[in-house]
Amino acid sequence: MKVTESICDPQLDAVRKTCMMVKERHISQRAVTARLKRTPPSGGKTILERMSVTLGQATSFSEQTEWMLKVRDARDRTAFASLFDHFAPRLRGMLMKNGFGAAQADDVIQDVMLSVWRKASSFNPERAEVSGWIFQIARNRQIDVIRKERRPMPEDLAMPESTDIDGEQVLGIEQEVQKLRSAIARLTPDQRDLVQKAYLGELTHSEIQAETGLPLGTIKSRIRLGLERLRFEMKGER
Amino acid sequence: MTDIAHHIPDALLASYVAGSLARPFAMVVAAHVSICEECRANLAAHETVGGALLHDFEPISVSDDLRDRVLGHLDDPFLAEPARPHGNPTYPAPVVEALGDKPPRWRSLGPGAKQCILEAGKAGSVRLLHIAPGFAVPDHTHGGLELTLVLQGAFTDETGRFGRGDLEVADDDLEHTPIAEQGMPCICLAATDAPLKFSSFMPRLLQPLFQI
C-alpha cells in the first residue's frame, strides 16, 4: 500500500497525485496545475464513478460516508434513516455513559440527528470523517444543553465551490480512521476508560495534562499523518 | 500569514474538543485555530479521535418512537443558526463575535497599556490587551492558567519571542515580563482562570478597579 509511505511526505504525495491524475484522467496540463486536488465535473455520476483512484483493497467509501454524501447531495431520506440506525444507538451509548437520563438523551439524539440532516451541506469528507463530524455536533449540543451558551468556534473554512470529491483524500482519511480504531481497540480497559473520559468532557484540561496513563499522543499520532495533508490544502484556501 | 512558532498543546486541544475547557480559554483556542493551519489540522485529528470513540460505543437501542419522530421532522421549517461574523486581519472571528462586531473600547491600564474586557465571570476572564511599543505588560504572577495569543505586533519575555498567531501558555510557575517590540502596538488576546496578581507597577488594592 503506497499511501502509507507517501503521506509522510506531502510534497511527494502532491507530485504523485499529479502524475496519477495526468495518467488516469488525461486532463490538460493547465488544469492539473490549477486544480491539483479537485476531480473534473462529475456530471451526475455515482460516487464510485467519481472516485479518482483505487487504493489497494479499498475501492469504495465507507457506508457511513456514502450515506452522508447521499443526504448532502440528494437529500436522500433512506440514506438518512441508515445514518440514524447506525449512529442513534451509539449516541445513546455515549450519552448514557456521560450521565444523561433516558429522556434527556433522546432529546439530544433528536437534536443531533436533525442537525445532521440540516447541516449536511457543511459536511466535507475531504476534511472530516462522518463519525468525527457527528461527534462534534453531539458535543456542541451537549454543551449547549448543559451550559446554555454558544461556545466560541473557529472561523469556518469556505466550502469548495463544487461538490466533486477527491476520492483519494477521502479514502486516505478513512484508512487513517481504521488505524486509529485498531489503536483504540488495543488499549487496556483502563486506558480506554481514560480516553473516553477525556473526550467526553469528564476530565478538566489540567487532569488531561497531568494524566500520565493517558495515551493521547500515541493515539493521535495514528491520525495525525493523514490529517497533516489537510494543512497543505487549507494553506491554498486562505 | 507569518510563521507561527508557538502552538496549542494537545491537552488544551483535547479539552476544547471535549467541551471541558473553560469558556475564556475556549475563545483563545478558537481564535488561534482560526489563523493557524497546523492547529486546525490537529483539532481535526482530535475530533476524529472523538468520532472513533463514538463509533466504538456499545450501541443502546433507541425506540421506534424516537426514530419516527426524527424522520417525521425532516420537512419542518427551522431557523438557521445566526451566521457567525468573519474575522478581519487583526481580530479572528471568535474575537469579532465577542466584540459584537464593533471595534474594541479600550480602557487605560496605565502608561502604554490599555485593555478591553471581553468577558469576565466565574470561569475566568478574557480580554484584549493593547501595549505600546517598548512598554511592558506589568510584571505579574499567575494564580492559575493564562493563555496569551498575539494578534498584532510582537512581545518578548523570559521565554522567547511571540508574534502574530503565537500562543503563550503560562501557569503558576511562570513569572514573566512581556515587553512589546518596536513597531506596531502589540495587541493580545489574554485569558485567565484567576485574577492576575501584579507583583509590581500596580498596587493590589487597585486590581478590583481595573479588573485585572
Side-chain angles (χ1 to χ4, degrees):
Chain A
M1 180 76 46
K2 281 189 177 124
V3 178
T4 321
E5 297 156 19
S6 63
I7 53 179
C8 298
D9 186 340
Q11 277 175 318
L12 198 69
D13 190 43
V15 170
R16 193 175 55 84
K17 268 191 204 170
T18 315
C19 296
M20 289 177 88
M21 287 172 92
V22 173
K23 201 170 78 187
E24 296 186 12
R25 283 193 252 114
H26 314 285
I27 318 169
S28 76
Q29 188 59 45
R30 223 177 86 223
V32 173
T33 321
R35 214 75 195 99
L36 256 183
K37 71 185 186 103
R38 202 76 62 207
T39 55
S42 61
K45 289 176 190 164
T46 67
I47 292 161
L48 199 64
E49 285 166 340
R50 273 194 251 161
M51 279 174 30
S52 52
V53 285
T54 302
L55 295 174
Q57 303 91 348
T59 53
S60 65
F61 301 156
S62 72
E63 278 181 313
Q64 290 79 28
T65 304
E66 298 273 2
W67 292 331
M68 195 60 226
L69 289 172
K70 281 180 189 158
V71 168
R72 185 189 77 170
D73 299 340
R75 306 309 275 154
D76 184 322
R77 283 155 198 266
T78 313
F80 179 78
S82 304
L83 278 175
F84 183 94
D85 293 338
H86 180 82
F87 282 106
R90 287 175 167 83
L91 284 168
R92 195 148 209 258
M94 182 170 100
L95 291 161
M96 303 291 263
K97 166 102 182 177
N98 225 189
F100 273 66
Q104 209 183 9
D106 279 4
D107 286 347
V108 172
I109 293 169
Q110 175 169 339
D111 288 345
V112 170
M113 292 312 297
L114 283 175
S115 290
V116 168
W117 175 256
R118 289 166 184 171
K119 294 179 180 170
S121 64
S122 67
F123 172 72
N124 182 346
E126 294 171 21
R127 291 184 192 141
E129 181 263 346
V130 184
S131 306
W133 189 69
I134 294 181
F135 171 81
Q136 201 51 46
I137 292 177
R139 286 307 305 160
N140 287 341
R141 186 64 204 142
Q142 276 175 270
I143 294 161
D144 288 351
V145 167
I146 296 164
R147 298 200 205 147
K148 314 242 182 290
E149 66 181 26
R150 207 172 176 214
R151 79 178 183 134
M153 302 270 265
E155 175 148 19
D156 285 334
L157 292 177
M159 284 294 285
E161 288 147 28
S162 111
T163 54
D164 292 324
I165 290 160
D166 178 349
E168 190 182 3
Q169 167 73 11
V170 178
L171 287 178
I173 289 181
E174 290 193 347
Q175 254 177 5
E176 296 292 320
V177 169
Q178 285 306 331
K179 280 194 268 173
L180 177 68
R181 284 181 191 159
S182 359
I184 290 174
R186 283 194 299 271
L187 296 176
T188 66
D190 283 354
Q191 283 178 321
R192 187 192 304 220
D193 192 51
L194 268 177
V195 173
Q196 283 182 348
K197 281 191 171 135
Y199 283 92
L200 293 187
E202 288 169 17
L203 299 182
T204 64
H205 154 252
S206 30
E207 284 167 342
I208 296 177
Q209 198 174 26
E211 191 50 77
T212 49
L214 190 60
L216 209 61
T218 320
I219 284 190
K220 203 180 55 86
S221 66
R222 315 282 162 146
I223 196 76
R224 168 87 191 202
L225 285 177
L227 286 155
E228 196 75 344
R229 295 194 292 185
L230 293 176
R231 280 173 61 188
F232 294 87
E233 295 179 11
M234 288 170 191
K235 281 208 166 132
E237 289 184 17
R238 287 176 68 86
Chain B
M1 190 163 294
T2 51
D3 288 331
I4 297 173
H6 303 273
H7 297 279
I8 306 173
D10 266 334
L12 273 174
L13 268 183
S15 180
Y16 174 80
V17 165
S20 60
L21 197 58
R23 190 176 161 85
F25 300 131
M27 190 185 295
V28 178
V29 168
H32 177 92
V33 169
S34 298
I35 56 177
C36 175
E37 283 85 4
E38 177 165 342
C39 288
R40 194 184 279 271
N42 236 339
L43 179 69
H46 281 287
E47 289 173 357
T48 310
V49 175
L53 293 172
L54 171 61
H55 185 271
D56 204 33
F57 262 102
E58 192 68 42
I60 300 180
S61 61
V62 296
S63 64
D64 289 344
D65 179 51
L66 176 63
R67 192 179 191 271
D68 293 345
R69 211 165 9 139
V70 170
L71 295 180
H73 278 307
L74 295 187
D75 290 325
D76 287 4
F78 65 97
L79 281 176
E81 279 182 32
R84 294 177 183 261
H86 291 292
N88 61 46
T90 305
Y91 303 112
V95 178
V96 173
E97 189 175 359
L99 283 166
D101 221 351
K102 297 188 191 104
R105 295 180 62 191
W106 299 108
R107 313 256 169 188
S108 176
L109 261 181
K114 293 186 282 187
Q115 71 169 346
C116 166
I117 294 177
L118 298 175
E119 288 182 14
K122 270 183 280 180
S125 64
V126 56
R127 76 197 66 213
L128 291 165
L129 290 171
H130 184 289
I131 307 156
F135 278 86
V137 173
D139 185 24
H140 51 280
T141 48
H142 303 261
L145 178 68
E146 191 195 24
L147 299 182
T148 310
L149 172 68
V150 178
L151 299 178
Q152 175 187 296
F155 71 74
T156 50
D157 70 8
E158 289 80 347
T159 65
R161 179 186 186 274
F162 295 81
R164 160 94 177 160
D166 281 328
L167 177 75
E168 183 175 62
V169 182
D171 58 22
D172 285 341
D173 302 331
L174 180 70
E175 186 155 338
H176 63 154
T177 313
I179 294 175
E181 269 186 13
Q182 292 304 322
M184 281 207 283
C186 179
I187 297 178
C188 302
L189 178 68
T192 175
D193 55 5
L196 300 185
K197 292 174 289 182
F198 284 92
S199 51
S200 68
F201 188 79
M202 195 189 296
R204 292 281 309 269
L205 278 175
L206 287 181
Q207 280 184 34
L209 200 62
F210 285 106
Q211 290 189 28
I212 193 163

